[in-house]
Amino acid sequence: MIGLYAAQVRAAIRASLSDRGAFTLQVGGMVLNDLVFLVMWWMFFAGFHSVGGWARPDMALLMGLMMTLVGVTGVFAGGYRDMAATILNGELDGLLTQPKGLISRLLSRESLAGAWGDLAGGAVLLIWFSGLSLADLPWTLIALLVGGVVYLSASITFASLAFWASGARSFSRELMDFTLLFSTYPGTIYQGAVKVIAFTLLPAGFIVLTPASLIRSPGPEALAVVILAAGGYAGAALGLFHLGLRRYRRGERLAG
């Protein structure tokens, strides 16, 4: 199954590269978008220096993790972005006649050109501005892995709403974009009910905030927390998707 996934990803990347002009524009547009966002934070910290214990290198780590995992996910599992539309358009019918691995085939069917811009920007932040050393590399890779699992799991969960609601096509994207936006603020600003939401319904706290804490203060307890979170969200996403798939197989399909 891994070999099939790799082959499909290679084909998706080649397709995204086929139009060099469009590819360059999308990557450049994403880099510009990220740059504007980063400049705003840079100007903010130039004036306030610290927010709730978060300084400029901490924000660089937060943003670097987020941009890198969004970039990696977009390049190698870009099908997550339109999964709800795929379900609503009835495109699962053809995929269901193929061997097992439906979710992996949905994820690998597209590679997002703009994601290369996120990937490049994230790498620059992590390497030059976050204050990481070579000794932090293993924890950074773990943080990216668990954050990526939570991010993809949330995307699959939101897209699975398309099995029950025709409006999920745009709603799932808005939920994902809102979750990412939620992830880009220092964790100490979240209190009370907002904090509960950030660590439950919208897993923003487990996409980059908790993984960033793992890098700054690594240890068995912090590692256990992020692994349990990734496992929990992945299990919930798979359960919800297959529950909806059973409804789809019964012919209870909604029009997109």
Side-chain angles (χ1 to χ4, degrees), residues 59-245:
M59 276 306 297
L61 175 61
L62 184 76
M63 298 298 297
L65 286 176
M66 189 194 71
M67 290 166 60
T68 302
L69 71 86
V70 170
V72 170
T73 306
V75 171
F76 299 103
Y80 80 90
R81 192 69 178 160
D82 278 327
M83 188 180 286
T86 302
I87 295 170
L88 287 167
N89 292 337
E91 296 177 45
L92 293 188
D93 294 346
L95 296 175
L96 287 172
T97 62
Q98 298 176 21
K100 290 183 178 180
L102 178 59
I103 292 179
S104 66
R105 277 181 277 123
L106 284 171
L107 295 177
S108 61
R109 69 198 313 239
E110 187 176 2
S111 177
L112 307 177
W116 289 103
D118 282 326
L119 187 53
V124 169
L125 283 174
L126 291 177
I127 294 171
W128 279 292
F129 298 101
S130 62
L132 295 180
S133 66
L134 194 58
D136 296 315
L137 181 60
W139 293 108
T140 304
L141 294 177
I142 293 172
L144 287 170
L145 177 62
V146 294
V149 169
V150 175
Y151 180 67
L152 263 185
S153 299
S155 301
I156 294 170
T157 298
F158 297 151
S160 297
L161 296 176
F163 288 117
W164 291 274
S166 59
R169 184 173 195 162
S170 58
F171 185 58
S172 63
R173 275 197 175 196
E174 290 165 1
L175 277 176
M176 209 59 242
D177 291 342
F178 187 65
T179 301
L180 277 183
L181 181 65
F182 227 35
S183 304
T184 58
Y185 292 94
T188 49
I189 71 170
Y190 298 130
Q191 301 293 332
V194 177
K195 187 173 183 178
V196 172
I197 293 173
F199 283 85
T200 52
L201 296 177
L202 298 177
F206 291 110
I207 293 176
V208 285
L209 290 175
T210 309
S213 299
L214 172 68
I215 297 173
R216 292 299 194 213
S217 304
E221 291 184 5
L223 181 62
V225 168
V226 295
I227 290 177
L228 285 174
Y233 280 107
L238 292 175
L240 190 61
F241 180 87
H242 285 289
L243 186 64
L245 188 59

Side-chain angles (χ1 to χ4, degrees), residues 44-63:
F44 178 85
F45 278 101
F48 293 95
H49 303 294
S50 176
V51 176
W54 284 67
R56 189 178 289 175
D58 301 312
M59 276 306 297
L61 175 61
L62 184 76
M63 298 298 297

